[in-house]
């Protein structure tokens, strides 16, 4: 089985041209550190000319590194993105965004590293390339697993996506073949479900769960306020209680101690904490701080979908049915 990668690109030429568009047009994965002329401006004219001459003769990654190490360019050290580029193999998949649309690239059998010193590649800061990549448009964020979308929030220029079953999903969506997921337990099926959800999907589910289980509804204006401790404020119209949900997707930890001051000495306030990977630390038990486990939420979603409830958003239902229809145990 191959590897799934995420390529983060940017606008990087004087005319506003995007590296992502360059990759699509040229069927490559391309990254920067391109030895652009402006990167060499701090050398004297003769030295700059000498480096430019060597630059035009680069054939291998070793040639490239020889230039940057000899001339102390980019710190004169190996570059993580270049190392990742050289680690790509035939059969790998690469996710990339261009103008809000997600593209999936397939690395073919004729892949090879090239340093492209053309004016176009240098202007885009896209000279380091892997050739033989066929790109397909997939769609907007609702069409990709949440772990793919969130992988674009931060991180390195080119990095692996290490979550389980993302290669199977990439192969499914790229080739149009049935999705086959071999799961050893219900736990792995549940985690795949959460991997496919976005952070906002998880927030929606927690709020809908609290509506269904405890009559809480969101106060719309509070959903627009950025706070560190909670997503929004919910109110129970039957008794006036307030709830403060905090939702984390992934392995970021939550600690109940951070919420004590929010609800201290006020039995009319409750906190609900959810982590898709159950990363909630309980140092002190507080009666009105509640933890929603990943099992609880998953079981509730399963129950609602199987009884054809309209409470679960359509996009989440689609992910659930895709995963469960493909289960091969």
């Amino acid at each position: 089985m191959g590897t799934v990668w995420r390529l983060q690109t940017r606008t990087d030429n004087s005319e506003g041209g995007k590296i992502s568009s360059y990759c699509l047009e040229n069927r490559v994965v391309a990254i920067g550190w391109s030895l652009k002329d402006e990167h060499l401006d701090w050398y004297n004219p003769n030295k700059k000319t000498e480096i430019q001459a060597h630059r035009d003769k680069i054939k291998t990654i070793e040639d490239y590194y020889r230039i940057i190490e000899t001339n102390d360019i980019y710190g004169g050290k190996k570059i993580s993105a270049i190392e990742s580029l050289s680690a790509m193999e035939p059969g790998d998949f690469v996710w990339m965004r261009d103008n809000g649309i997600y593209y999936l690239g397939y690395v073919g059998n004729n892949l090879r590293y090239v340093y492209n010193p053309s004016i176009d590649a240098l202007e885009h800061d896209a000279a380091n390339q892997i050739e033989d990549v066929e790109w397909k448009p997939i769609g907007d964020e609702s069409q990709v697993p949440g772990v793919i979308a969130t992988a674009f929030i931060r991180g390195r220029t080119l990095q692996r996506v290490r979550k389980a079953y993302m290669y199977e999903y990439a192969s499914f969506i790229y080739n149009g073949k049935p999705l086959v997921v071999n799961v050893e337990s219900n736990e792995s099926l549940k985690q795949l479900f959460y991997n496919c959800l976005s952070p906002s999907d998880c927030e929606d589910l927690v709020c809908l769960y609290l509506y269904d289980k405890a009559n809480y509804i969101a106060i719309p204006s509070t959903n627009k306020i950025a706070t560190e401790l909670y997503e929004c404020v919910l109110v129970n119209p039957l008794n006036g209680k307030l709830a403060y949900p905090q939702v984390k997707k992934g392995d970021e930890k939550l600690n109940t101690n951070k919420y004590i001051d929010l609800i201290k000495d006020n039995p009319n306030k409750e906190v609900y904490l959810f982590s898709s990977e159950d990363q909630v630390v309980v140092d002190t038990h507080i009666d009105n701080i509640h933890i929603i486990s990943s099992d609880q939420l998953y079981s509730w979603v399963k129950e609602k979908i199987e009884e054809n409830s309209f409470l679960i958003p359509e996009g989440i239902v689609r992910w659930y049915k895709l995963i469960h229809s493909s289960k091969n145990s």
Side-chain angles (χ1 to χ4, degrees):
M1 185 181 298
T3 300
V4 178
W5 303 85
R6 187 275 285 137
L7 175 63
Q8 185 80 280
T9 64
R10 64 189 186 282
T11 299
D12 204 38
N13 75 353
S14 56
E15 286 75 40
K18 295 184 176 180
I19 294 179
S20 53
S21 298
Y22 177 92
C23 290
L24 296 173
E25 292 166 4
N26 293 278
R27 299 179 63 236
V28 297
V29 168
I31 61 174
W33 296 273
S34 299
L35 304 174
K36 295 175 65 173
D37 289 346
E38 63 197 64
H39 297 172
L40 310 175
D41 282 343
W42 62 292
Y43 292 97
N44 66 57
N46 289 337
K47 186 64 174 177
K48 180 176 179 179
T49 300
E50 177 187 328
I51 295 172
Q52 288 170 326
H54 288 304
R55 177 184 69 187
D56 293 343
K57 297 177 182 178
I58 293 174
K59 300 297 182 185
T60 65
I61 288 180
E62 290 72 25
D63 292 340
Y64 173 83
Y65 274 135
R66 194 174 298 114
I67 291 176
I68 68 170
E69 290 168 2
T70 301
N71 299 283
D72 193 27
I73 306 171
Y74 310 135
K77 299 177 181 179
K78 288 192 174 181
I79 299 165
S80 61
I82 304 291
E83 294 298 287
S84 295
L85 194 71
S86 66
M88 283 188 169
E89 296 181 348
D92 286 357
F93 288 101
V94 190
W95 286 96
M96 181 179 68
R97 283 189 307 193
D98 182 65
N99 292 323
I101 299 298
Y102 287 79
Y103 288 80
L104 185 58
Y106 179 78
V107 181
N109 290 325
N110 297 318
L111 92 162
R112 68 182 182 114
Y113 166 82
V114 297
Y115 177 84
N116 184 342
S118 69
I119 293 174
D120 193 24
L122 290 174
E123 283 186 347
H124 279 86
D125 194 12
N128 287 291
Q129 303 177 6
I130 287 293
E131 293 184 327
D132 194 23
V133 179
E134 194 66 43
W135 295 98
K136 285 189 177 181
I138 302 302
D140 61 20
E141 189 168 304
S142 67
Q143 302 298 118
V144 303
V147 295
I148 299 300
T150 55
F152 284 87
I153 295 174
R154 62 181 69 89
R156 298 174 177 175
T157 299
L158 181 64
Q159 64 185 35
R160 289 176 171 87
V161 177
R162 300 184 183 276
K163 293 293 186 179
Y165 301 113
M166 288 302 101
Y167 188 88
E168 288 87 345
Y169 179 79
S171 182
F172 155 72
I173 200 68
Y174 188 91
N175 295 311
K177 297 178 180 179
L179 176 62
V180 177
V181 176
N182 294 297
V183 292
E184 298 177 358
S185 66
N186 193 59
E187 178 68 22
S188 58
L189 196 65
K190 177 193 72 175
Q191 199 56 55
L192 175 57
F193 170 69
Y194 284 123
N195 284 347
C196 287
L197 301 187
S198 68
S200 59
D201 286 334
C202 288
E203 292 169 17
D204 288 346
L205 283 180
V206 168
C207 288
L208 290 167
Y209 172 86
L210 291 174
Y211 164 75
D212 189 52
K213 295 293 187 180
N215 296 310
Y216 278 114
I217 58 175
I219 301 173
S221 61
T222 65
N223 204 29
K224 303 170 186 176
I225 301 172
T227 65
E228 181 183 355
L229 290 180
Y230 52 87
E231 310 298 343
C232 60
V233 181
L234 309 178
V235 62
N236 185 324
L238 302 180
N239 57 26
K241 277 192 171 184
L242 298 177
Y244 301 86
Q246 177 62 293
V247 179
K248 293 297 180 184
K249 186 175 181 298
D251 57 5
E252 184 177 348
K253 287 183 171 59
L254 292 169
N255 192 309
T256 56
N257 282 355
K258 293 180 64 176
Y259 297 86
I260 293 175
D261 288 343
L262 180 63
I263 59 171
K264 185 170 56 180
D265 301 324
N266 194 332
N268 206 42
K269 292 183 177 180
E270 296 185 310
V271 167
Y272 289 86
L273 304 179
F274 172 81
S275 162
S276 64
E277 296 187 13
D278 294 311
Q279 296 295 309
V280 182
V281 178
V282 182
D283 289 331
T284 306
H285 174 75
I286 306 294
D287 286 342
N288 46 344
I289 297 181
H290 311 280
I291 298 168
I292 302 172
S293 71
S294 62
D295 281 337
Q296 282 177 285
L297 193 65
Y298 179 68
S299 296
W300 175 77
V301 170
K302 182 176 185 293
E303 174 191 325
K304 291 301 172 183
I305 290 177
E306 290 181 354
E307 65 184 30
N308 295 315
S309 168
F310 293 108
L311 199 57
I312 308 300
E314 182 179 348
I316 296 174
V317 173
R318 176 172 55 82
W319 284 119
Y320 180 92
K321 290 185 174 180
L322 173 65
I323 294 165
H324 288 74
S325 66
S326 63
K327 180 180 177 182
N328 182 21
S329 55

